[in-house]
Amino acid sequence: MLAVLGFATIAAFLYAIMTKRLSVLVALILIPAMAGLLAGAGPGLGKMMLDGIGRVAPVGVMIIFAVLYFGLMLDVGLFDPMIRRLLRLVKGDPIKVALATAVLTMAVALDGDGATTFLITVSAMLPLYQRLGMNRLVLSGIVALGAGVMNIIPWGGPTVRAMAALKADASALFNPVVPAMAVGVVWVLVVAYILGRRERTRLGLLGRPGGTATPQPASLSAASNPVADLPQDGDDLVPAAEGKVALERPWLFWFNAVLTVVLVVALLMAWLPLPVLFVLAFAIALPVNHPSWEQQQKHLVAHAASVVTVSTMIFAAGIFTGVLTGTKMIDAMAAAAVSVIPPGLAGYLPVIVAVTSMPLSLVFTPDAYYFGVLPVLAQSAASLGVDPVLVGRGAILGQMTTGFPLSPLTASTFILIGLCGVNLGDHQRFIFPWAFGTTLVMTAVAFATGVLG
């Protein structure tokens, strides 16, 4: 019964947001709340919600101050020189912009942290997309694909969880899938080229080899930061309005540049927890760039809408996962998923796990899948004479890799769509086929090379 209710809750949520019957924020709160009552949670429902909020609180704090920090840097024009150079390099060609997005994402994603990847990559590339008038769904989609493939690395969340659940090391679990991962990287570049070509067509550049796009009259450093102007249903994704903040002291550019480089290095090296780094960086940058109290308040008020939009979404996601976890619906769904596998398909279990792991990212949190579903799958495989490590390899080819930047159960998804200023349902519809294609391509290579048995 709990499993049925859990799957029904996920289905109702996905239906509500993809058909735009409810906003994501409302759906994340009301649907699990009703499901919790049906599950008999009763008075315990409030505690489950608070527990879920507590688990995502550090991410919420991080994104609040990250939005404030990068919004400040955009306002004062820190990224203007870089965007101008990129404009000259890509010559206004959406194909080159899309490919640059993919390469930058996969390079930054080497740190193994999705939130950091999204914050750095989107902050660097969004002004360029705005300047050229490119669809922001292309940005969120390419970043999702690149970060997903790179999330397989041994220090990434999925592989770490799989190694812990199966008590296997990286040499047994990760090293054999490197060729498949390499093909996945190539696939991302191919998709970026295709999406870039589509944008070139949309912008009227098809048939003009080497043609350049006419930049849109948007400020490179729009005062409305990347999440300030979220599109409404049916709105076109257009560049933000003019709003550049002029600074009279050029030396501040170098101060901001050094501070941002130090912040990025600290993020990659994990010198301090991510939320603390952003809190400290913003506390330093704000009074230096805006010395007076009135200026500081003006900046906070200007970005208040963005902060509220993203932070409330993250805390609502915590409520969603808190209810599903607290009512044991997650555990019941895991057991039900295992029970439907026929014994005759035991030899193909690693392939089945690989193919289904990506869609299941929309249903299970990473902890629920790797510590709840995977051990049961591995035990079932072992009892049928299949090496459990093969099942683990299948799992990391899709669960929380190509699927995590689309899952409503992970806070980093809301960081990505919030920074890009796109709707979750639109983002899922736009990039899901390409993301699932990534898993299928990598699975095919892994199967052909004997990695999956």
Side-chain angles (χ1 to χ4, degrees), residues 102-147:
V103 172
L104 178 61
T105 300
M106 290 186 284
V108 176
L110 285 170
D111 76 325
D113 184 81
T116 303
T117 300
F118 299 154
L119 289 165
I120 294 173
T121 305
V122 175
S123 297
M125 297 303 298
L126 181 61
L128 184 56
Y129 277 72
Q130 292 176 319
R131 180 69 178 266
L132 297 175
M134 291 179 64
N135 189 338
R136 284 178 282 175
L137 286 172
V138 173
L139 173 60
S140 66
I142 294 175
V143 172
L145 292 179

Side-chain angles (χ1 to χ4, degrees), residues 319-346:
I319 291 175
F320 191 94
T321 56
V323 172
L324 263 63
T325 301
T327 57
K328 306 297 182 182
M329 280 189 270
I330 287 286
D331 296 336
M333 286 190 287
V338 173
S339 66
V340 300
I341 301 174
L345 294 179

